[in-house]
Amino acid sequence: MTNRSITRRLALLSSLVLASLGATAPAQAQSDNWPNRPIRLVVPSAAGAGGDIFARLIATPLSEILKQPVVVDGKPGANGMIASDMVAKAAGDGYTLLFAPSSAILINPVINSKMPYDPEKDLIPIAQVGAAGILLVANPKTGFKNLNDMIAYAKANPGKLAYASWGTGSSGHLAMEGIKAKYGLDMAHVPYKSIPQEVTDLIGNNVPVGFTDIASPIPHIREGRLNALGTTGSQRWPATQDVPRLTEQGYKFDADGWYGIFAPKGTPQAIIDRLATEINRIQRSDAVRPKIEAQNMIVPPARTAAQFAESIKADAVIWQGLAKTTDLKDK
């Protein structure tokens, strides 16, 4: 090989190395300088709903750690698709994040043939926040004390009992459609845009029974405005230890729900990893852990962002299998 050939090859190699460094430099500079302005945490919940409450439990200490405001931005509706779509299409710069329930991530792709985004490709998992089930509640005027009371009435009165959930494709929708299928019940679904609206109508007996998140109805249950009939999930939850699980009452539903924090695709890995570390630390702190448990959830095992992504894949097999079994649609 001539000296000229060697020189040309060295020059080509150098240009390739420099091009590679040039491509990674902006991302590195972006993550090194992050954050230098407020961060928006988009939540598919109305103010006062469980998702909003939990998001603020994380956002406040995270603001202090990052020394930038973490602003909770509620965008309820469509079982989280409005909020998720907004974040999925945002810039991957670490300044727009999503705080979403598991149903928004796992069930929406099964029941919506034309999703405006791909949760698996467009959203990067960062950290799980909390773990719990959901609550089956009824207006006291129904006289229902447990799941079997509701089933007995629905069987004796086909088509006369409607039920509420916080949206088509929600885990509440999924759970009740499973109950209907198992026991042969005729009950219309009344989907709400937000859980506070749903709870208000349950208290007013505008709809007699429904599934809600694990936290929102607790004060109303304690004050006798709603009856707790049962919970889903793998265990009894901190604030509802006296409420039997649906599994204990004959309808097996052991899958746990959770909230998760996600970033748009393209977000630098250094930002993802830092957020995962800080969010896991915040949940386990003496200041925040009791507040999570007071909202009737438990703190999940600490996981890296990659481990959280793997757990989502495992949960998807369970939740999507249930959705397909019940032929979950807008019922």
Side-chain angles (χ1 to χ4, degrees):
M1 184 180 293
T2 65
N3 288 338
R4 181 175 293 178
S5 296
I6 293 172
T7 300
R8 275 201 296 262
R9 291 197 175 192
L10 287 173
L12 177 60
L13 180 60
S14 296
S15 65
L16 291 172
V17 170
L18 288 172
S20 175
L21 290 174
T24 59
Q28 182 64 46
Q30 183 184 56
S31 54
D32 286 347
N33 194 37
W34 179 90
N36 58 20
R37 55 187 171 88
I39 297 166
R40 181 168 63 156
L41 184 59
V42 182
V43 184
S45 301
D52 176 75
I53 292 169
F54 287 111
R56 293 179 190 280
L57 286 178
I58 300 300
T60 300
L62 188 60
S63 296
E64 296 171 0
I65 291 167
L66 299 179
K67 295 181 172 43
Q68 289 290 341
V70 178
V71 181
V72 176
D73 185 7
K75 299 294 181 184
N79 192 39
M81 283 204 298
I82 294 172
S84 300
D85 185 44
M86 180 181 297
V87 175
K89 293 173 180 173
D93 54 13
Y95 292 99
T96 304
L97 305 174
L98 173 69
F99 189 99
S102 51
S103 60
I105 302 299
L106 301 176
I107 302 178
N108 280 338
V110 176
I111 68 169
N112 294 285
S113 59
K114 296 181 179 179
M115 291 279 288
Y117 61 95
D118 185 331
E120 188 174 350
K121 294 179 180 179
D122 297 335
L123 296 170
I124 303 173
I126 297 174
Q128 179 180 336
V129 177
I134 55 176
L135 262 169
L136 177 61
V137 298
N139 185 282
K141 291 180 180 179
T142 63
F144 302 160
K145 302 295 185 182
N146 53 48
L147 173 65
N148 290 324
D149 287 346
M150 185 200 77
I151 291 171
Y153 180 89
K155 280 187 172 181
N157 300 274
K160 292 186 178 180
L161 188 66
Y163 79 92
S165 84
W166 62 96
T168 300
S170 65
S171 50
H173 184 196
L174 171 61
M176 191 65 90
E177 290 301 318
I179 291 170
K180 286 171 55 180
K182 178 174 180 177
Y183 297 103
L185 308 181
D186 179 6
M187 298 171 62
H189 177 215
V190 183
Y192 282 79
K193 184 176 180 179
S194 72
I195 289 176
Q197 292 174 340
E198 177 193 0
V199 170
T200 296
D201 271 10
L202 284 163
I203 292 170
N205 203 28
N206 294 320
V207 61
V209 65
F211 273 104
T212 71
D213 66 6
I214 202 69
S216 300
I218 297 300
H220 308 296
I221 291 169
R222 289 173 177 161
E223 294 171 10
R225 291 195 289 265
L226 290 173
N227 290 344
L229 310 186
T231 63
T232 68
S234 59
Q235 59 182 281
R236 293 194 183 190
W237 305 105
T240 48
Q241 285 291 303
D242 59 338
V243 179
R245 296 186 298 136
L246 297 186
T247 295
E248 296 172 58
Q249 300 182 65
Y251 179 67
K252 185 177 176 60
F253 199 115
D254 292 333
D256 290 343
W258 40 260
Y259 291 102
I261 297 181
F262 299 80
K265 65 181 178 182
T267 303
Q269 189 64 43
I271 292 176
I272 298 293
D273 292 340
R274 184 180 179 194
L275 282 168
T277 298
E278 300 297 356
I279 292 164
N280 278 302
R281 184 180 294 129
I282 287 168
Q283 291 187 83
R284 280 155 189 76
S285 69
D286 292 339
V288 175
R289 179 190 286 269
K291 293 178 182 178
I292 290 177
E293 293 174 348
Q295 292 296 324
N296 211 18
M297 294 190 87
I298 62 171
V299 175
R303 298 185 180 98
T304 64
Q307 289 169 335
F308 178 41
E310 288 302 312
S311 74
I312 290 174
K313 291 179 182 178
D315 285 349
V317 174
I318 299 172
W319 287 89
Q320 293 178 7
L322 288 169
K324 290 173 182 176
T325 298
T326 58
D327 188 25
L328 191 63
K329 303 292 181 186
D330 186 5
K331 299 180 180 180

